[in-house]
């Protein structure tokens, strides 16, 4: 029973859920200009977690053929036949229904609609349409992962504004460097299953160049929140320092990729881990800013 429960939990990709919720809760703090209602936070987090988990389950069902062939994914529940595709589909639909019900009943219709849209976009646009067809798969498919910033804001305010849109764009421009660094590490896996991730079809130096471009745009977008949202100096100081660290690491990886395809030399996972830390701390700064200036 313990193994079966662990298998179902694994289908939801808990680490992805953690990252998505990390961009939801801080935005709620900023929207509330302080500490938001605890019940609202719990409902939004629970609904968001179920929604993201549902999308991940559907992704695992659709990609089970290639997951079985990739080192990074072959120990998931479906490739190991611990959970059947039918049972996984039922689980995914149950999570989706619970998510929508929670957000409708205890948050608001706009947040519920945004959650359903993100789920559908990830499954139908990214997983089924883009992932196996274009090098731009993660660029546009990554839009689904940007929705939590909007959901966190609408949960508190019931409406949209430019503030969550800027944070939405920060996550949008963050996604390619984050994902391409990981894809560079596992490019042989993607190549073996004919998934045209950018590191599969382009040399490492070109991947590094595009990562640097997206990184600069991401940092510039993060700083745009200062005038748009009228933050205190706490946020721009944090965004500048974190952005500088990210850019240094991105440029270093690009430089290491010149004239070599050796992953030992390029060390793409350094940038991947840096990207996780960057996004986490940036959104912590978003949450802290209104608390400092109250």
């Amino acid at each position: 029973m313990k193994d079966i429960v662990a298998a179902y939990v694994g289908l939801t990709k808990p680490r992805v859920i953690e990252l998505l919720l990390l961009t939801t809760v801080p935005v709620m703090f900023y929207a509330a200009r302080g500490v938001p209602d605890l019940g609202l936070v719990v409902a939004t987090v629970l609904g968001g977690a179920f929604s993201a988990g549902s999308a991940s389950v559907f992704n695992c069902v659709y990609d089970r053929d290639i997951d079985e062939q990739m080192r990074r994914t072959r120990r998931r529940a479906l490739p190991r036949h611990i959970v059947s595709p039918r049972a996984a589909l039922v689980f995914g639909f149950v999570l989706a229904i619970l998510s929508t019900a929670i957000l409708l009943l205890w948050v608001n219709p706009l947040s519920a609609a945004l959650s359903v849209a993100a789920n559908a976009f990830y499954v139908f646009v990214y997983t089924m349409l883009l992932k196996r067809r274009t090098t731009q798969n993660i660029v546009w498919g990554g839009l689904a992962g940007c929705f939590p910033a909007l959901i966190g804001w609408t949960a508190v305010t019931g409406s949209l504004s430019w503030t969550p849109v800027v944070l939405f764009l920060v996550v949008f421009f963050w996604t390619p460097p984050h994902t391409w660094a990981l894809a560079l590490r596992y490019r042989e896996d993607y190549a073996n299953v004919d998934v045209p991730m950018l590191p599969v079809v382009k040399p490492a130096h070109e991947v590094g160049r595009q990562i640097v471009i997206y990184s600069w745009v991401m940092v510039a977008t993060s700083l745009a929140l200062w005038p748009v949202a009228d933050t205190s100096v706490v946020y721009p100081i944090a965004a500048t320092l974190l952005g500088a660290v990210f850019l240094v690491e991105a440029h270093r990886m690009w430089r290491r990729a010149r004239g070599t395809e050796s992953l030992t030399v390029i060390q793409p996972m350094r940038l991947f881990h840096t990207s996780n830390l960057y996004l986490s701390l940036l959104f912590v700064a978003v949450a802290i800013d209104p608390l400092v200036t109250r």
Side-chain angles (χ1 to χ4, degrees), residues 66-74 186 189-190 193:
I66 61 176
D67 282 351
E68 197 165 356
Q69 302 175 58
M70 295 175 65
R71 287 175 301 163
R72 188 173 66 87
T73 57
R74 63 190 176 194
Y186 292 100
D189 273 1
Y190 289 110
V193 294

Side-chain angles (χ1 to χ4, degrees), residues 70 183 186-197 199-201:
M70 295 175 65
Y186 292 100
R187 61 186 173 185
E188 289 184 9
D189 273 1
Y190 289 110
N192 290 336
V193 294
D194 296 321
V195 174
M197 298 294 286
V200 173
V201 300

Side-chain angles (χ1 to χ4, degrees), residues 19-21 23-25 27 118 143-153 168:
L19 200 60
L20 293 176
L21 296 181
T23 60
T24 303
V25 177
V27 176
L143 279 168
C146 306
F147 275 78
L150 303 182
I151 294 169
W153 184 271
F168 176 100

Side-chain angles (χ1 to χ4, degrees), residues 226-249:
W226 184 14
V228 169
D230 191 27
T231 71
S232 72
V233 295
V234 172
Y235 172 80
I237 289 173
T240 300
L241 294 175
L242 292 169
V245 171
F246 194 105
L247 289 172
V248 166
E249 190 56 49

